[in-house]
Amino acid sequence: MFGSSPPFYTFNPQSEPADTQAILQAQFGDAITLDNRAEGGSASTLLNMMAGVDGGGAPFAQRIQSSKAQIVLDAHAVNDDLSQSLGPYSDALVAWVQAVRVAGKIAVLEEPGPVCDNSRPYLANYVSAMDNIAAQYSVPLVKQYDYLQTIPNLCSHYTAGIFPDNAIFQIKAQREAAILAPLTRQLIQQPE
């Protein structure tokens, strides 16, 4: 979600959130903005974000209280597979959903795309945990993992096996916007 490009952890301004914003602005106007608060690097895990040690500031439950966002999307899983077991990840994902809702915002989860470097052998398990929590808590879900695996020569679109190119960012953005657009429309149509 950060939009990393080689050299590693360098922010790419053409990223999935930037592409999603362009799609939503084309539908709803320039007032729609996406604020990409993703942190890059291996410290960017869900547990670290919840604890406030991911480089983004205070613990997440505090951060989200002061956020002006109406919809909050989380896409953690790739680095989590490197950093902790599935149980703590699942517990943190439930805590994330609850924190977003306590703050009066709409929670959305997004599956990661697959990786092509064999360094995350259990990523499919994290995706499954996310899908189960989304279903259990009625959280809108952007399904990316299985779909992206159907793209011919997918790994040719990745650098170092984990950094997608702009073509993959655009595909992911279209799928993300398809979930966010109805939520955005509902918010726009709600009386103040």
Side-chain angles (χ1 to χ4, degrees):
M1 193 60 65
F2 178 70
S4 292
S5 292
F8 298 160
Y9 310 125
T10 300
F11 179 73
N12 178 353
Q14 182 174 352
S15 61
E16 180 184 346
D19 290 345
T20 301
Q21 177 174 286
I23 293 167
L24 293 176
Q25 285 181 343
Q27 291 179 47
F28 301 108
D30 291 345
I32 303 300
T33 58
L34 271 74
D35 187 6
N36 185 356
R37 295 293 175 107
E39 296 293 328
S42 60
S44 179
T45 68
L46 183 58
L47 265 70
N48 285 350
M49 183 181 75
M50 295 305 291
V53 295
D54 65 339
F60 178 76
Q62 290 175 281
R63 286 186 233 177
I64 199 60
Q65 285 293 330
S66 61
S67 171
K68 294 180 182 176
Q70 294 175 285
I71 301 170
V72 183
L73 185 141
D74 184 78
H76 281 96
V78 172
N79 288 337
D80 300 270
D81 185 12
L82 294 173
S83 301
Q84 73 269 321
S85 64
L86 196 54
Y89 169 80
S90 297
D91 292 344
L93 203 52
V94 169
W96 179 87
V97 169
Q98 293 170 336
V100 171
R101 289 179 171 169
V102 164
K105 299 162 190 325
I106 299 169
V108 176
L109 293 171
E110 180 172 349
E111 295 175 351
V115 296
C116 296
D117 69 346
N118 299 318
S119 65
R120 280 106 174 141
Y122 306 109
L123 186 56
N125 296 339
Y126 287 77
V127 171
S128 180
M130 179 184 285
D131 292 359
N132 290 337
I133 288 167
Q136 182 179 354
Y137 289 89
S138 300
V139 175
L141 176 66
V142 183
K143 297 185 77 58
Q144 302 279 20
Y145 189 78
D146 288 338
Y147 178 80
L148 289 173
Q149 291 183 73
T150 68
I151 295 173
N153 302 313
L154 175 66
C155 292
S156 69
H157 292 279
Y158 283 78
T159 301
I162 59 172
F163 299 103
D165 65 13
N166 290 342
I168 298 300
F169 283 150
Q170 289 171 356
I171 292 168
K172 290 182 75 179
Q174 290 167 357
R175 296 178 65 77
E176 185 178 285
I179 299 300
L180 296 178
L183 300 171
T184 303
R185 187 174 294 108
Q186 288 175 351
L187 289 170
I188 290 171
Q189 293 174 349
Q190 285 182 354
E192 297 279 333

